[in-house]
Amino acid sequence: MFKFQKSAKKEEPKDMKEVLKELKSLDSKLKEVTEELSSLKQQQIFCIQKAALSRYNPFKDAGGDQSFTFVLLDKNDCGVAITSLYGRDGNRIYGKTIKNGTSEYTLSEEEKKTIEKAKNGEQ
């Protein structure tokens, strides 16, 4: 359980020594916050930042846009493409890793288009 209390009101510094002491404390805290922010920025590079979804009909004999490709990428265009192909005989799902905007696996045209949509920030 969190207890929120008003902090005791700080007294104003009485002389230059106290002012300098307070400045050193603030400088130390600023350095700590700056380092933490820098660390968070580095970690953020690897978080999902781009996503796109495309629905389509890959087969002429099945109706509707039941199939889809969903792409999730980080800042470096690395991530995953998940494709679901729906047909009369069943549904197949494929996952392909993406590194620098491409894959070591063969990509369909729909997957390539969806990767480009994600890279460009399109929905």
Side-chain angles (χ1 to χ4, degrees):
M1 185 170 165
F2 295 106
K3 292 184 180 180
F4 296 101
Q5 298 175 353
K6 287 186 178 181
S7 58
K9 188 174 181 181
K10 274 191 166 183
E11 291 183 28
E12 300 229 357
K14 295 177 185 171
D15 56 21
M16 283 304 274
K17 260 187 170 176
E18 287 185 14
V19 170
L20 291 173
K21 183 179 176 183
E22 188 67 27
L23 284 174
K24 284 182 182 178
S25 173
L26 289 173
D27 186 48
S28 173
K29 289 177 184 176
L30 179 61
K31 284 180 183 175
E32 185 180 316
V33 169
T34 302
E35 289 172 4
E36 190 172 330
L37 179 60
S38 178
S39 173
L40 289 171
K41 283 182 177 180
Q42 279 301 113
Q43 292 173 22
Q44 178 187 6
I45 292 171
F46 303 106
C47 294
I48 295 170
Q49 297 186 16
K50 305 169 191 175
L53 174 70
S54 297
R55 293 179 61 105
Y56 49 90
N57 183 2
F59 308 113
K60 292 179 183 178
D61 62 341
D65 291 341
Q66 301 292 329
S67 298
F68 67 86
T69 295
F70 186 48
V71 174
L72 300 167
L73 301 174
D74 66 10
K75 187 174 183 173
N76 297 318
D77 294 333
C78 297
V80 64
I82 301 168
T83 298
S84 171
L85 297 176
Y86 177 80
R88 282 186 177 175
D89 298 332
N91 189 46
R92 295 196 174 140
I93 299 174
Y94 302 92
K96 299 176 183 177
T97 55
I98 308 297
K99 292 183 182 172
N100 300 316
T102 189
S103 180
E104 64 184 87
Y105 303 101
T106 304
L107 297 170
S108 68
E109 284 305 310
E110 291 84 3
E111 289 168 328
K112 290 177 187 175
K113 287 178 185 176
T114 309
I115 290 169
E116 286 304 310
K117 280 175 57 175
K119 287 169 52 176
N120 296 326
E122 300 173 29
Q123 295 294 324

